[in-house]
Amino acid sequence: MSFREELRRVLPPDASPTLAEYQLVAEFQQEVSWRQEHERYCQWYSEVAERNREELLKLRGDINLFGWFSRR
């Protein structure tokens, strides 16, 4: 069922088209907000992942002091 059909079913028959348009705009704005928030999260995650990869490379290049002391 499309959004407009569902809206016609929910709204009273004498409801103005402006109410339906308002609902459509509100849902569109919510969708845009969710997508922007998701994009910000993806950007943050990408930055954190890159920093973690850099730290891992640095750690792999460090001297393994634990290995020196454990000598198993």
Side-chain angles (χ1 to χ4, degrees):
M1 180 182 300
S2 75
F3 172 73
R4 289 200 182 272
E5 291 170 350
E6 188 174 327
L7 197 58
R8 282 189 203 113
R9 187 175 58 81
V10 173
L11 291 176
D14 60 342
S16 73
T18 307
L19 182 60
E21 291 169 1
Y22 174 79
Q23 180 68 25
L24 186 62
V25 168
E27 286 188 14
F28 177 76
Q29 289 174 338
Q30 184 65 45
E31 179 70 24
V32 168
S33 174
W34 286 336
R35 289 181 185 214
Q36 288 173 341
E37 186 177 330
H38 180 70
E39 183 63 33
R40 281 192 300 271
Y41 171 77
C42 290
Q43 182 65 33
W44 170 82
Y45 189 89
S46 177
E47 292 169 2
V48 169
E50 182 60 32
R51 275 188 264 136
N52 288 342
R53 283 191 289 272
E54 291 170 0
E55 288 179 15
L56 180 62
L57 288 174
K58 287 179 187 176
L59 287 173
R60 286 182 176 164
D62 285 348
I63 297 171
N64 185 3
L65 293 176
F66 182 74
W68 283 12
F69 293 112
S70 65
R71 296 279 184 201
R72 290 184 187 180

Coordinates of all heavy atoms in Angstrom, one line a residue:
M1 N 0.9 -1.2 0.0 CA 0.0 0.0 0.0 C 0.9 1.2 0.0 O 1.8 1.3 0.8 CB -0.9 0.0 1.2 CG -1.8 1.2 1.3 SD -2.9 1.2 2.8 CE -3.8 -0.3 2.7
S2 N 0.6 2.2 -0.9 CA 1.4 3.4 -1.0 C 1.1 4.3 0.2 O 0.1 4.1 0.9 CB 1.2 4.1 -2.3 OG -0.1 4.7 -2.3
F3 N 2.0 5.3 0.4 CA 1.8 6.2 1.5 C 0.5 7.0 1.3 O -0.3 7.2 2.3 CB 3.0 7.1 1.5 CG 2.8 8.3 2.5 CD1 2.9 8.0 3.9 CD2 2.5 9.6 2.1 CE1 2.7 9.0 4.8 CE2 2.3 10.6 3.0 CZ 2.4 10.3 4.3
R4 N 0.2 7.4 0.1 CA -1.0 8.2 -0.1 C -2.3 7.4 0.2 O -3.2 7.9 0.8 CB -1.0 8.8 -1.5 CG 0.0 9.9 -1.7 CD -0.3 10.7 -2.9 NE 0.6 11.8 -3.1 CZ 0.6 13.0 -2.6 NH1 -0.3 13.3 -1.7 NH2 1.6 13.8 -2.8
E5 N -2.3 6.1 -0.2 CA -3.4 5.3 0.0 C -3.6 5.1 1.5 O -4.7 5.1 2.0 CB -3.3 3.9 -0.7 CG -3.3 4.0 -2.2 CD -2.9 2.7 -2.9 OE1 -2.4 1.8 -2.2 OE2 -3.1 2.6 -4.1
E6 N -2.5 4.9 2.2 CA -2.6 4.7 3.6 C -3.1 5.9 4.3 O -3.9 5.9 5.3 CB -1.2 4.3 4.2 CG -1.2 3.9 5.6 CD 0.1 3.4 6.1 OE1 0.9 2.8 5.2 OE2 0.5 3.6 7.2
L7 N -2.6 7.1 3.8 CA -3.0 8.4 4.4 C -4.5 8.6 4.2 O -5.2 9.1 5.1 CB -2.2 9.5 3.8 CG -2.2 10.8 4.5 CD1 -1.6 10.6 5.9 CD2 -1.3 11.8 3.7
R8 N -5.0 8.2 3.0 CA -6.4 8.4 2.8 C -7.3 7.5 3.7 O -8.4 7.9 4.1 CB -6.7 8.0 1.3 CG -6.4 9.1 0.3 CD -6.9 8.8 -1.1 NE -6.1 9.6 -2.0 CZ -5.3 9.0 -2.9 NH1 -5.2 7.7 -3.0 NH2 -4.6 9.8 -3.7
R9 N -6.7 6.3 4.0 CA -7.4 5.4 4.9 C -7.5 6.0 6.3 O -8.5 5.8 7.0 CB -6.7 4.1 4.9 CG -7.5 3.0 5.6 CD -6.8 1.6 5.4 NE -5.4 1.6 5.8 CZ -5.0 1.5 7.1 NH1 -5.9 1.3 8.1 NH2 -3.7 1.5 7.4
V10 N -6.4 6.6 6.7 CA -6.3 7.1 8.1 C -7.0 8.4 8.3 O -7.7 8.6 9.4 CB -4.8 7.2 8.5 CG1 -4.7 7.9 9.9 CG2 -4.1 5.9 8.5
L11 N -6.9 9.3 7.4 CA -7.5 10.7 7.5 C -9.0 10.6 7.3 O -9.5 9.8 6.5 CB -6.8 11.6 6.5 CG -5.4 12.0 6.8 CD1 -4.9 12.9 5.6 CD2 -5.2 12.7 8.1
P12 N -9.7 11.5 8.0 CA -11.1 11.6 7.7 C -11.3 12.1 6.3 O -10.5 12.8 5.7 CB -11.6 12.6 8.7 CG -10.4 13.3 9.3 CD -9.2 12.4 9.0
P13 N -12.5 11.8 5.6 CA -12.7 12.1 4.2 C -12.8 13.6 4.0 O -12.4 14.1 2.9 CB -14.1 11.5 3.9 CG -14.5 10.7 5.1 CD -13.6 11.0 6.2
D14 N -13.1 14.4 5.0 CA -13.2 15.8 4.8 C -11.9 16.6 5.1 O -11.8 17.8 5.2 CB -14.3 16.5 5.6 CG -14.2 16.2 7.1 OD1 -13.4 15.3 7.4 OD2 -14.9 16.9 7.8
A15 N -10.8 15.8 5.4 CA -9.5 16.4 5.7 C -9.0 17.2 4.5 O -9.1 16.8 3.4 CB -8.5 15.4 6.2
S16 N -8.4 18.3 4.8 CA -7.8 19.1 3.7 C -6.6 18.5 3.1 O -5.8 17.8 3.8 CB -7.5 20.5 4.2 OG -6.4 20.5 5.0
P17 N -6.3 18.7 1.9 CA -5.1 18.2 1.3 C -3.8 18.8 2.0 O -2.8 18.2 1.9 CB -5.1 18.7 -0.2 CG -6.5 19.1 -0.4 CD -7.1 19.4 0.9
T18 N -4.0 19.9 2.6 CA -2.8 20.5 3.3 C -2.3 19.7 4.4 O -1.1 19.6 4.6 CB -3.2 21.9 3.8 OG1 -3.8 22.7 2.8 CG2 -2.0 22.6 4.4
L19 N -3.2 19.0 5.1 CA -2.8 18.1 6.2 C -2.0 17.0 5.7 O -1.0 16.6 6.2 CB -4.1 17.6 7.0 CG -3.8 16.7 8.1 CD1 -3.0 17.4 9.2 CD2 -5.1 16.2 8.8
A20 N -2.5 16.4 4.6 CA -1.7 15.3 3.9 C -0.4 15.8 3.5 O 0.6 15.1 3.6 CB -2.5 14.7 2.8
E21 N -0.3 17.0 2.9 CA 1.0 17.5 2.4 C 1.9 17.7 3.6 O 3.1 17.5 3.5 CB 0.7 18.8 1.7 CG 0.1 18.6 0.3 CD -0.4 19.9 -0.3 OE1 -0.2 20.9 0.2 OE2 -1.0 19.8 -1.4
Y22 N 1.3 18.3 4.7 CA 2.1 18.5 5.9 C 2.7 17.2 6.4 O 3.9 17.1 6.8 CB 1.3 19.1 7.0 CG 2.0 19.3 8.3 CD1 2.9 20.3 8.5 CD2 1.8 18.4 9.3 CE1 3.6 20.4 9.7 CE2 2.5 18.5 10.5 CZ 3.4 19.5 10.7 OH 4.1 19.6 11.9
Q23 N 1.9 16.1 6.4 CA 2.4 14.8 6.9 C 3.5 14.3 6.0 O 4.5 13.8 6.4 CB 1.2 13.8 6.9 CG 1.6 12.5 7.4 CD 2.0 12.4 8.9 OE1 1.6 13.3 9.6 NE2 2.9 11.5 9.2
L24 N 3.3 14.5 4.7 CA 4.3 14.0 3.7 C 5.6 14.8 3.9 O 6.7 14.2 3.9 CB 3.8 14.2 2.3 CG 4.6 13.7 1.2 CD1 4.8 12.2 1.3 CD2 4.0 14.1 -0.2
V25 N 5.6 16.1 4.1 CA 6.7 16.9 4.3 C 7.4 16.5 5.6 O 8.7 16.4 5.7 CB 6.4 18.4 4.3 CG1 7.5 19.3 4.8 CG2 6.0 18.9 2.9
A26 N 6.7 16.3 6.7 CA 7.2 15.9 7.9 C 8.0 14.6 7.8 O 9.1 14.5 8.4 CB 6.1 15.8 9.0
E27 N 7.4 13.6 7.1 CA 8.1 12.4 7.0 C 9.3 12.5 6.1 O 10.3 11.8 6.4 CB 7.1 11.3 6.4 CG 6.1 10.9 7.3 CD 5.3 9.7 6.8 OE1 5.7 9.1 5.8 OE2 4.2 9.4 7.4
F28 N 9.3 13.3 5.1 CA 10.4 13.6 4.3 C 11.6 14.2 5.1 O 12.7 13.8 5.0 CB 10.1 14.5 3.1 CG 11.3 14.8 2.2 CD1 11.8 13.9 1.3 CD2 11.9 16.0 2.3 CE1 12.9 14.2 0.5 CE2 13.0 16.4 1.5 CZ 13.5 15.4 0.6
Q29 N 11.2 15.2 5.9 CA 12.2 15.8 6.7 C 12.8 14.8 7.7 O 14.1 14.9 8.0 CB 11.6 17.0 7.5 CG 11.3 18.2 6.5 CD 10.6 19.3 7.3 OE1 10.0 19.1 8.3 NE2 10.7 20.5 6.7
Q30 N 12.0 14.0 8.3 CA 12.6 12.9 9.2 C 13.5 12.0 8.5 O 14.6 11.7 9.0 CB 11.4 12.2 9.8 CG 11.8 11.2 10.8 CD 12.4 11.8 12.0 OE1 11.9 12.8 12.5 NE2 13.6 11.3 12.5
E31 N 13.2 11.6 7.2 CA 14.0 10.7 6.5 C 15.3 11.4 6.1 O 16.4 10.8 6.3 CB 13.3 10.3 5.2 CG 14.1 9.4 4.3 CD 14.3 8.0 4.8 OE1 13.5 7.6 5.6 OE2 15.3 7.4 4.4
V32 N 15.3 12.7 5.8 CA 16.5 13.4 5.5 C 17.4 13.5 6.8 O 18.6 13.3 6.7 CB 16.2 14.9 5.0 CG1 17.4 15.7 5.0 CG2 15.6 14.8 3.6
S33 N 16.7 13.8 7.9 CA 17.5 13.8 9.2 C 18.1 12.5 9.5 O 19.3 12.5 9.9 CB 16.5 14.2 10.3 OG 17.1 14.2 11.5
W34 N 17.4 11.4 9.3 CA 18.0 10.1 9.6 C 19.2 9.8 8.7 O 20.2 9.3 9.1 CB 17.0 9.0 9.4 CG 16.0 8.9 10.5 CD1 16.1 9.3 11.8 CD2 14.7 8.4 10.4 NE1 15.0 9.1 12.5 CE2 14.1 8.5 11.7 CE3 13.9 7.8 9.4 CZ2 12.8 8.1 12.0 CZ3 12.6 7.4 9.7 CH2 12.1 7.5 11.0
R35 N 19.0 10.2 7.4 CA 20.1 9.9 6.5 C 21.4 10.7 6.8 O 22.5 10.3 6.7 CB 19.7 10.2 5.0 CG 18.7 9.1 4.6 CD 18.3 9.3 3.2 NE 17.3 8.4 2.8 CZ 17.1 7.9 1.5 NH1 17.9 8.3 0.6 NH2 16.2 7.0 1.3
Q36 N 21.2 12.0 7.2 CA 22.3 12.9 7.6 C 23.0 12.3 8.8 O 24.2 12.3 8.9 CB 21.8 14.3 7.8 CG 21.5 15.0 6.5 CD 20.8 16.4 6.8 OE1 20.4 16.7 7.9 NE2 20.8 17.2 5.7
E37 N 22.2 11.9 9.8 CA 22.7 11.3 11.0 C 23.5 10.0 10.7 O 24.6 9.8 11.2 CB 21.6 11.0 12.0 CG 22.1 10.5 13.3 CD 20.9 10.3 14.3 OE1 19.9 11.0 14.2 OE2 21.1 9.5 15.2
H38 N 23.0 9.2 9.8 CA 23.7 8.0 9.4 C 25.0 8.3 8.7 O 26.0 7.7 8.9 CB 22.8 7.1 8.5 CG 23.4 5.9 8.1 ND1 23.7 4.8 8.9 CD2 23.9 5.5 6.8 CE1 24.3 3.9 8.2 NE2 24.4 4.2 7.0
E39 N 25.0 9.3 7.8 CA 26.2 9.8 7.1 C 27.2 10.3 8.1 O 28.4 9.9 7.9 CB 25.8 10.8 6.1 CG 27.0 11.3 5.2 CD 27.6 10.2 4.4 OE1 26.8 9.3 3.9 OE2 28.8 10.2 4.2
R40 N 26.8 11.0 9.1 CA 27.8 11.5 10.1 C 28.4 10.3 10.9 O 29.6 10.3 11.1 CB 27.1 12.5 11.1 CG 27.0 13.9 10.5 CD 26.5 14.8 11.6 NE 25.3 14.5 12.3 CZ 24.1 14.9 11.9 NH1 24.0 15.7 10.8 NH2 23.0 14.6 12.5
Y41 N 27.5 9.4 11.2 CA 28.0 8.2 11.9 C 29.0 7.4 11.0 O 30.1 7.0 11.5 CB 26.9 7.3 12.3 CG 27.4 5.9 12.8 CD1 27.8 5.8 14.1 CD2 27.3 4.8 12.0 CE1 28.3 4.6 14.6 CE2 27.8 3.6 12.5 CZ 28.3 3.5 13.8 OH 28.8 2.3 14.3
C42 N 28.7 7.2 9.8 CA 29.6 6.5 8.9 C 31.0 7.2 8.8 O 32.0 6.6 8.7 CB 29.0 6.3 7.5 SG 27.6 5.1 7.5
Q43 N 30.9 8.6 8.7 CA 32.1 9.3 8.6 C 33.0 9.2 9.9 O 34.2 9.0 9.8 CB 31.8 10.8 8.4 CG 33.0 11.7 8.2 CD 33.8 11.4 7.0 OE1 33.3 11.0 6.0 NE2 35.1 11.6 7.1
W44 N 32.3 9.3 11.0 CA 33.0 9.1 12.3 C 33.6 7.7 12.4 O 34.8 7.5 12.8 CB 32.0 9.3 13.5 CG 32.6 8.9 14.8 CD1 33.4 9.6 15.6 CD2 32.4 7.6 15.4 NE1 33.7 8.9 16.7 CE2 33.1 7.7 16.6 CE3 31.7 6.5 15.1 CZ2 33.2 6.6 17.5 CZ3 31.7 5.4 16.0 CH2 32.5 5.5 17.2
Y45 N 32.9 6.7 12.0 CA 33.3 5.3 12.1 C 34.6 5.1 11.2 O 35.6 4.5 11.6 CB 32.2 4.4 11.7 CG 32.6 2.9 11.9 CD1 32.3 2.3 13.1 CD2 33.2 2.1 10.9 CE1 32.6 1.0 13.4 CE2 33.5 0.8 11.2 CZ 33.2 0.2 12.4 OH 33.5 -1.1 12.6
S46 N 34.5 5.7 10.0 CA 35.6 5.6 9.1 C 36.9 6.3 9.6 O 38.0 5.7 9.5 CB 35.3 6.3 7.7 OG 36.3 6.3 6.9
E47 N 36.7 7.4 10.3 CA 37.9 8.1 10.9 C 38.5 7.3 12.0 O 39.7 7.2 12.2 CB 37.5 9.5 11.4 CG 37.1 10.5 10.3 CD 36.5 11.7 10.8 OE1 36.3 11.9 12.0 OE2 36.1 12.6 9.9
V48 N 37.6 6.7 12.9 CA 38.1 5.9 14.0 C 38.8 4.7 13.5 O 39.8 4.3 14.0 CB 36.9 5.6 15.0 CG1 37.3 4.5 16.0 CG2 36.4 6.8 15.7
A49 N 38.2 4.0 12.5 CA 38.8 2.8 11.9 C 40.2 3.1 11.4 O 41.2 2.4 11.5 CB 37.9 2.2 10.9
E50 N 40.4 4.3 10.7 CA 41.6 4.7 10.1 C 42.7 4.9 11.2 O 43.8 4.4 11.1 CB 41.5 5.9 9.3 CG 42.8 6.3 8.6 CD 43.4 5.3 7.7 OE1 42.6 4.5 7.0 OE2 44.6 5.3 7.6
R51 N 42.3 5.6 12.3 CA 43.2 5.8 13.4 C 43.6 4.5 14.1 O 44.7 4.3 14.4 CB 42.5 6.7 14.5 CG 42.7 8.2 14.2 CD 42.2 9.1 15.3 NE 40.8 9.4 15.0 CZ 39.8 9.4 15.8 NH1 40.0 9.1 17.0 NH2 38.6 9.8 15.4
N52 N 42.6 3.6 14.2 CA 43.0 2.3 14.8 C 43.9 1.5 13.9 O 44.8 0.8 14.4 CB 41.7 1.4 15.0 CG 40.9 2.0 16.2 OD1 41.4 2.7 17.0 ND2 39.6 1.6 16.2
R53 N 43.8 1.6 12.6 CA 44.7 0.9 11.7 C 46.1 1.5 11.8 O 47.1 0.8 11.9 CB 44.2 1.0 10.2 CG 43.1 0.0 9.9 CD 42.8 0.0 8.4 NE 42.2 1.2 7.9 CZ 40.9 1.4 7.9 NH1 40.1 0.5 8.3 NH2 40.4 2.6 7.4
E54 N 46.2 2.8 11.9 CA 47.5 3.5 12.1 C 48.1 3.1 13.4 O 49.3 2.8 13.5 CB 47.3 5.0 12.1 CG 47.0 5.5 10.7 CD 46.6 7.0 10.7 OE1 46.6 7.6 11.8 OE2 46.3 7.5 9.6
E55 N 47.4 3.0 14.5 CA 47.9 2.6 15.8 C 48.4 1.1 15.8 O 49.4 0.8 16.3 CB 46.8 2.8 16.9 CG 46.6 4.2 17.3 CD 45.5 4.3 18.3 OE1 45.2 3.3 19.0 OE2 45.0 5.5 18.5
L56 N 47.6 0.3 15.1 CA 48.0 -1.1 15.0 C 49.4 -1.2 14.2 O 50.2 -2.0 14.6 CB 46.9 -1.9 14.2 CG 47.2 -3.4 14.1 CD1 47.3 -4.1 15.4 CD2 46.1 -4.0 13.2
L57 N 49.5 -0.5 13.2 CA 50.8 -0.5 12.4 C 52.0 -0.1 13.3 O 53.1 -0.6 13.3 CB 50.8 0.3 11.2 CG 49.9 -0.2 10.1 CD1 49.8 0.8 8.9 CD2 50.5 -1.5 9.6
K58 N 51.7 1.0 14.1 CA 52.7 1.5 15.1 C 53.1 0.4 16.1 O 54.2 0.2 16.4 CB 52.3 2.7 15.8 CG 52.3 3.9 14.9 CD 51.8 5.2 15.6 CE 51.6 6.4 14.7 NZ 51.1 7.5 15.4
L59 N 52.0 -0.3 16.6 CA 52.2 -1.3 17.7 C 53.0 -2.5 17.1 O 53.9 -3.1 17.8 CB 50.9 -1.8 18.2 CG 50.2 -0.8 19.2 CD1 48.8 -1.3 19.5 CD2 51.0 -0.6 20.4
R60 N 52.7 -2.8 15.9 CA 53.5 -3.9 15.2 C 54.9 -3.6 15.0 O 55.8 -4.5 15.0 CB 52.8 -4.3 13.9 CG 51.5 -5.0 14.1 CD 50.9 -5.4 12.8 NE 49.7 -6.2 13.0 CZ 48.8 -6.4 12.1 NH1 49.0 -6.0 10.8 NH2 47.7 -7.2 12.3
G61 N 55.2 -2.3 14.9 CA 56.6 -1.9 14.7 C 57.4 -1.8 16.0 O 58.6 -1.7 16.0
D62 N 56.7 -1.7 17.1 CA 57.4 -1.5 18.4 C 58.1 -2.8 18.8 O 57.8 -3.9 18.3 CB 56.3 -1.2 19.5 CG 55.9 0.2 19.4 OD1 56.5 1.0 18.7 OD2 54.9 0.6 20.1
I63 N 59.0 -2.6 19.8 CA 59.7 -3.8 20.3 C 58.8 -4.6 21.2 O 58.1 -4.0 22.0 CB 61.0 -3.3 21.1 CG1 61.9 -2.6 20.2 CG2 61.6 -4.5 21.8 CD1 63.0 -1.9 21.0
N64 N 58.8 -5.9 21.1 CA 58.0 -6.7 21.9 C 58.6 -7.0 23.3 O 59.3 -8.0 23.5 CB 57.7 -8.1 21.2 CG 56.7 -8.9 21.9 OD1 56.2 -8.6 22.9 ND2 56.5 -10.1 21.4
L65 N 58.4 -6.1 24.2 CA 59.1 -6.2 25.5 C 58.5 -7.4 26.3 O 59.2 -8.1 27.0 CB 58.8 -4.9 26.4 CG 59.6 -3.7 25.9 CD1 59.2 -2.5 26.7 CD2 61.1 -3.9 25.9
F66 N 57.2 -7.7 26.1 CA 56.6 -8.8 26.8 C 57.3 -10.1 26.4 O 57.5 -11.0 27.2 CB 55.1 -8.9 26.5 CG 54.4 -10.0 27.2 CD1 54.2 -9.9 28.6 CD2 54.0 -11.1 26.6 CE1 53.5 -10.9 29.3 CE2 53.3 -12.1 27.2 CZ 53.1 -12.0 28.6
G67 N 57.6 -10.2 25.1 CA 58.3 -11.4 24.6 C 59.7 -11.6 25.2 O 60.1 -12.7 25.4
W68 N 60.3 -10.5 25.5 CA 61.7 -10.6 26.1 C 61.6 -11.1 27.5 O 62.5 -11.9 27.9 CB 62.3 -9.2 26.1 CG 62.8 -8.7 24.8 CD1 62.7 -9.3 23.6 CD2 63.7 -7.6 24.6 NE1 63.3 -8.5 22.6 CE2 63.9 -7.5 23.2 CE3 64.2 -6.6 25.5 CZ2 64.7 -6.5 22.7 CZ3 65.0 -5.6 24.9 CH2 65.2 -5.5 23.6
F69 N 60.6 -10.7 28.2 CA 60.5 -11.1 29.6 C 59.9 -12.5 29.8 O 60.2 -13.1 30.8 CB 59.8 -10.1 30.5 CG 60.5 -8.8 30.6 CD1 60.0 -7.6 30.0 CD2 61.7 -8.7 31.3 CE1 60.7 -6.4 30.1 CE2 62.4 -7.5 31.4 CZ 61.9 -6.3 30.8
S70 N 59.1 -12.9 28.9 CA 58.4 -14.2 29.1 C 59.3 -15.4 28.6 O 59.3 -16.4 29.2 CB 57.1 -14.2 28.4 OG 57.3 -14.1 27.0
R71 N 60.0 -15.2 27.6 CA 61.0 -16.2 27.1 C 60.5 -17.7 27.2 O 61.2 -18.5 27.7 CB 62.3 -16.1 27.7 CG 63.0 -14.8 27.5 CD 63.7 -14.9 26.2 NE 64.5 -13.6 26.0 CZ 64.8 -13.1 24.9 NH1 64.6 -13.8 23.8 NH2 65.5 -12.0 24.9
R72 N 59.3 -17.9 26.7 CA 58.8 -19.3 26.7 C 59.2 -20.1 25.5 O 59.3 -19.9 24.5 CB 57.3 -19.3 26.9 CG 57.0 -18.8 28.2 CD 55.5 -18.9 28.4 NE 55.2 -18.2 29.7 CZ 54.0 -18.1 30.2 NH1 53.0 -18.6 29.5 NH2 53.8 -17.5 31.3

